[in-house]
Amino acid sequence: MKTIYKTVIGVIIMTIVGITAVACSSTKKGYTDVQDTATAAAEEEFKIEKSGAQMWGETCNRCHIAPSPADYNDTDWETISLHMRVRANLTEHESKKIEEFLKSAN
């Protein structure tokens, strides 16, 4: 009697362990955020990038009247662009494009 009882308990425990193992396993592939190269290249090709003049007009006029490019020399624009990059939360690329426009226009 004890042997049958132990056998039944053993079978029940093994069944529970088996069901748990099957339920916790997954046959799905892992998900990644990586795009295939063809899609990434197509999106990059059609991305429209704003000019430095457009970004200057949009960004600077958000908070104050944008100064004329002729108001400052190249060295001043470098200093101002570093300061305003932090204040306006600009990326380095955006800041450089605006700075290049201001230097070319003064």
Side-chain angles (χ1 to χ4, degrees):
M1 187 77 165
K2 286 185 179 183
T3 311
I4 295 174
Y5 179 73
K6 287 180 181 179
T7 306
V8 170
I9 295 295
V11 170
I12 291 172
I13 289 174
M14 291 185 66
T15 304
I16 291 172
V17 169
I19 290 172
T20 304
V22 170
C24 291
S25 67
S26 174
T27 58
K28 295 180 182 178
K29 293 182 180 179
Y31 296 103
T32 61
D33 291 338
V34 178
Q35 297 178 345
D36 65 353
T37 54
T39 305
E43 287 180 4
E44 188 67 30
E45 182 179 335
F46 292 108
K47 186 184 282 187
I48 297 173
E49 194 168 312
K50 293 182 180 181
S51 69
Q54 287 174 314
M55 286 191 281
W56 169 72
E58 293 172 2
T59 305
C60 300
N61 283 323
R62 272 189 272 167
C63 301
H64 57 82
I65 297 172
S68 169
D71 287 350
Y72 301 100
N73 63 30
D74 290 353
T75 307
D76 291 339
W77 281 125
E78 289 173 12
T79 306
I80 293 167
S81 68
L82 286 173
H83 173 74
M84 294 309 298
R85 177 179 174 198
V86 174
R87 299 280 305 205
N89 197 26
L90 299 171
T91 65
E92 182 177 3
H93 179 70
E94 292 169 334
S95 176
K96 288 293 180 192
K97 285 189 80 165
I98 293 170
E99 183 181 329
E100 287 171 8
F101 160 71
L102 292 169
K103 286 179 176 181
S104 70
N106 77 9

